[in-house]
């Protein structure tokens, strides 16, 4: 295990909200000890004492129910260096020391190339690793150039492009439920599944993140990485093992199978929008364009939706809808697998045939989050992997109190809390050198390839920037 961690951007929101609590969780669980040293680097004119005081306050705020001793141990392991992360001399001072170091780029994506170039010039001890947050580059060309720079610095196995969604219990349970239960895998194909909705709707608005978000938007912030990773886990062929090669090969296969979107497809199968003033719960939310730090002229979207199809034997004819929005009326974070309806119902006079009716037209958005049908109807089954809070639900139909009367049934399960937060799991993999849950270079490029046509068409204004009131369900659908 590597016992030195350097965080470039050590005073930022990522460090405060996720990395420091993750380190405390690792300490509390006994995964790290006194040998681990952490150096934070940023432009602030601080010393180690001030940095430790700042870190202690952030751990109190974001550390949850972690033991106080674990937080205190992390704080005492911290050092601070004022540094320009694009300057080789400053970076060399940050990573100096005995033995390999893991360097975490907790930075805006636009700084990745300059920071990697500085690391290359500074030099890293043998066995070192580098960690990058999503998005990996800002477009396909940027991702290719970033991969080239990284390849000159370290071998691919030492590069960790992390996506914390992959370390969430329920996300991993998408694979677990598929592959450990014989009842599901025979049905896991387009013959039985009409569509899959991968949704990350949240009531949170901008929450002071304009400096980052206004240059990225919902498509790059959520769809291009997190939601495409969920698509890979839903649609991938069963891997031989969950090792780094097998798992990542199968994910790349899914991305390569995504049917390229034509200009016509982008116009009719994608949506973008941003929120207007509104009320969410007991708080008033200003329009996105009026949030502090936002440049309205950029036309940044806070809602993005993309419909994809896969050209593969297993999934021909199934639709995959990826959606993410901010400042909506309710949190809905789930993968919903919509099965096709039964072809015939022997209830009522002469039976009741449903043919091959897809839930897409009538059902999508109309049956509600719980999937409850009208009494006497058999709604298509829906399997929901609920991501936050973590749970599993299966919507079925059965006979109610009266003979021949169909009623909705729901089987639900709540997942046990994770023993480590998602970032704790990722940091442990970094320190131990296990890249199975990191994004490989070719995978990062394929993810950009999928959405390049969307980015190009949106930039040209071919898809209008719709609007929706904060606290609503988002913009109304317009293609089904």
């Amino acid at each position: 295990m590597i016992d030195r961690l350097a965080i470039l951007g050590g005073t930022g929101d990522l460090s405060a909200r996720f990395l420091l609590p993750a380190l405390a969780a690792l300490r509390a669980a006994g995964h790290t000890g006194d040998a681990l040293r952490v150096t934070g680097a940023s432009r602030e004119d601080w010393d180690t004492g001030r940095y430790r005081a700042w870190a202690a306050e952030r751990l109190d705020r974001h550390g949850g129910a972690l033991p106080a001793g674990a937080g205190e141990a992390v704080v005492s392991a911290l050092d601070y260096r004022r540094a320009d992360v694009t300057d080789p001399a400053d970076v060399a001072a940050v990573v100096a020391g005995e033995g390999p170091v893991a360097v975490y780029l907790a930075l805006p994506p636009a700084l990745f190339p300059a920071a990697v170039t500085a690391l290359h010039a500074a030099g890293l001890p043998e066995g070192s690793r580098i960690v990058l947050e999503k998005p990996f580059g800002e477009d396909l060309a940027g991702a290719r150039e970033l991969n080239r720079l990284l390849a000159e610095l370290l071998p691919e196995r030492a590069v960790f492009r992390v996506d914390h969604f992959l370390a969430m219990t329920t996300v991993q349970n998408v694979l677990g439920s598929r592959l450990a239960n014989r009842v599901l895998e025979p049905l896991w194909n387009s013959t039985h599944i009409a569509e899959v909705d991968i949704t990350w709707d949240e009531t949170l608005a901008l929450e002071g993140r304009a400096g980052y978000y206004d240059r990225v938007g919902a498509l790059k912030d959520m769809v291009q990485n997190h939601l495409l990773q969920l698509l890979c886990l839903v649609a991938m062929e069963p891997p031989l093992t969950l090792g780094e090669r097998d798992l990542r090969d199968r994910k790349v296969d899914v991305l390569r199978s995504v049917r390229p979107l034509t200009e016509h497809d982008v116009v009719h199968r994608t949506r973008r929008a941003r929120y207007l003033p509104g009320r969410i719960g007991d708080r008033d939310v200003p329009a996105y364009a009026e949030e502090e730090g936002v440049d309205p002229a950029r036309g940044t979207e806070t809602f993005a939706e993309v419909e994809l199809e896969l050209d593969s034997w297993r999934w021909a004819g199934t639709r995959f809808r990826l959606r993410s929005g901010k400042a909506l009326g309710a949190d809905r974070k789930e993968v919903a697998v919509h099965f096709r309806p039964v072809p015939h119902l022997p209830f009522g006079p002469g039976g009741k045939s449903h043919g091959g009716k897809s839930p897409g037209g009538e059902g999508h958005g109309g049956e509600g989050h719980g999937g409850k049908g009208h009494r006497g109807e058999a709604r298509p089954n829906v399997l929901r992997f609920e991501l936050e809070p973590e749970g599993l639900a299966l919507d079925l139909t059965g006979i109610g109190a009266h003979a021949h009367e169909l009623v909705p049934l729901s089987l639900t399960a709540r997942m046990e809390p994770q023993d480590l937060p998602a970032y704790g799991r990722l940091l442990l993999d970094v320190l131990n050198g296990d890249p199975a849950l990191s994004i490989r270079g070719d995978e990062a490029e394929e993810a950009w390839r999928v959405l390049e046509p969307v980015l190009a068409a949106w930039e040209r204004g071919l898809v209008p920037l719709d609007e929706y009131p904060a606290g609503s369900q988002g913009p109304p659908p317009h293609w089904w």
Side-chain angles (χ1 to χ4, degrees):
M1 173 183 280
I2 284 182
D3 58 12
R4 290 202 299 136
L5 175 66
I7 304 174
L8 305 188
T11 61
D13 187 64
L14 175 64
S15 297
R17 290 166 55 89
F18 299 108
L19 299 185
L20 290 173
L23 287 168
L26 290 177
R27 179 64 183 240
H31 293 295
T32 60
D34 293 337
L36 181 65
R37 304 299 305 175
V38 182
T39 300
S42 192
R43 285 181 175 273
E44 280 78 10
D45 188 14
W46 293 359
D47 58 16
T48 293
R50 182 168 179 184
Y51 186 52
R52 289 180 176 180
W54 173 87
E57 190 277 330
R58 294 306 188 273
L59 278 169
D60 285 342
R61 186 186 305 179
H62 303 297
L66 291 170
E72 292 167 358
V74 168
V75 170
S76 67
L78 295 176
D79 293 305
Y80 181 78
R81 282 190 175 272
R82 183 184 182 188
D84 176 353
V85 299
T86 67
D87 181 82
D90 283 3
V91 170
V94 173
V95 301
E98 294 295 325
V101 60
V103 183
Y104 203 118
L105 304 190
L107 302 168
L111 288 178
F112 286 172
V116 172
T117 300
L119 282 166
H120 188 274
L124 287 174
E126 185 176 353
S128 294
R129 294 156 200 162
I130 189 169
V131 190
L132 300 90
E133 278 282 329
K134 60 84 184 171
F136 314 111
E138 298 183 275
D139 52 27
L140 179 57
R144 287 172 173 163
E145 174 62 14
L146 182 58
N147 280 339
R148 184 189 68 78
L149 292 172
L150 289 166
E152 293 176 354
L153 177 65
L154 291 171
E156 175 63 33
R157 200 175 189 280
V159 177
F160 288 74
R161 302 170 188 83
V162 298
D163 186 330
H164 75 276
F165 268 44
L166 292 177
M168 294 169 63
T169 298
T170 307
V171 170
Q172 295 188 17
N173 203 40
V174 173
L175 269 187
S177 297
R178 280 185 55 188
L179 304 181
N181 296 285
R182 191 180 185 94
V183 69
L184 285 181
E185 185 58 26
L187 308 178
W188 212 259
N189 52 62
S190 62
T191 300
H192 301 285
I193 295 174
E195 58 189 32
V196 178
D197 284 317
I198 301 174
T199 305
W200 191 269
D201 286 353
E202 53 187 348
T203 55
L204 287 175
L206 196 54
E207 314 301 331
R209 297 177 67 218
Y212 164 76
Y213 194 89
D214 199 43
R215 297 179 181 275
V216 179
L219 189 72
K220 291 183 180 181
D221 185 50
M222 290 296 303
V223 178
Q224 190 275 336
N225 36 78
H226 295 323
L227 302 195
L228 279 180
Q229 285 298 310
L230 290 170
L231 168 66
C232 288
L233 297 185
V234 170
M236 68 193 294
E237 293 298 319
L240 295 176
T241 72
L242 295 183
E244 58 174 287
R245 178 66 185 270
D246 292 334
L247 180 62
R248 298 197 290 184
D249 280 354
R250 298 291 77 78
K251 289 198 293 174
V252 170
D253 287 344
V254 173
L255 294 173
R256 292 180 61 199
S257 75
V258 175
R259 182 178 302 167
L261 292 167
T262 66
E263 197 171 271
H264 179 273
D265 292 333
V266 175
V267 171
H268 291 89
R269 295 187 176 188
T270 75
R271 291 192 292 160
R272 61 178 182 143
R274 64 182 177 187
Y275 60 82
L276 295 170
R279 190 170 181 83
I280 303 175
D282 59 356
R283 61 192 173 102
D284 292 318
V285 178
Y288 176 80
E290 298 170 0
E291 294 267 23
E292 184 178 354
V294 167
D295 179 0
R298 285 200 181 99
T300 302
E301 79 285 350
T302 61
F303 175 98
E305 188 168 66
V306 178
E307 185 182 287
L308 301 173
E309 294 182 90
L310 307 187
D311 286 326
S312 69
W313 189 288
R314 182 184 289 263
W315 293 115
T318 297
R319 294 181 295 178
F320 293 85
R321 189 176 296 110
L322 283 58
R323 159 182 164 143
S324 179
K326 284 189 168 296
L328 296 170
D331 289 317
R332 183 158 68 99
K333 303 169 182 179
E334 66 175 17
V335 175
V337 180
H338 298 261
F339 291 86
R340 299 188 187 277
V342 295
H344 174 76
L345 280 174
F347 302 98
K352 191 174 184 180
S353 176
H354 283 241
K357 184 177 179 181
S358 165
E362 175 191 1
H364 180 70
E367 64 186 33
H369 176 49
K372 305 299 185 183
H374 299 296
R375 296 176 70 86
E377 280 189 29
R379 303 293 288 181
N381 304 134
V382 182
L383 177 61
R384 303 179 189 278
F385 298 91
E386 298 169 349
L387 305 176
E388 198 176 90
E390 298 181 337
L392 190 66
L394 177 61
D395 298 335
L396 300 171
T397 299
I399 296 294
H402 304 287
H404 304 300
E405 181 182 57
L406 297 175
V407 296
L409 303 175
S410 183
L411 306 180
T412 61
R414 287 294 166 204
M415 315 304 296
E416 290 293 326
Q418 290 182 252
D419 58 345
L420 288 174
Y423 271 95
R425 170 70 187 275
L426 292 178
L427 279 177
L428 185 61
D429 286 348
V430 169
L431 297 175
N432 284 329
D434 181 0
L437 293 184
S438 72
I439 312 302
R440 205 167 60 195
D442 57 341
E443 185 180 350
E445 293 182 19
E446 287 294 336
W448 280 113
R449 179 197 63 80
V450 169
L451 292 183
E452 276 281 288
V454 182
L455 291 168
W458 285 11
E459 187 175 346
R460 293 169 56 198
L462 298 183
V463 175
L465 182 63
D466 293 333
E467 296 177 321
Y468 60 96
S472 70
Q473 295 182 355
H478 59 66
W479 74 73
W480 54 73

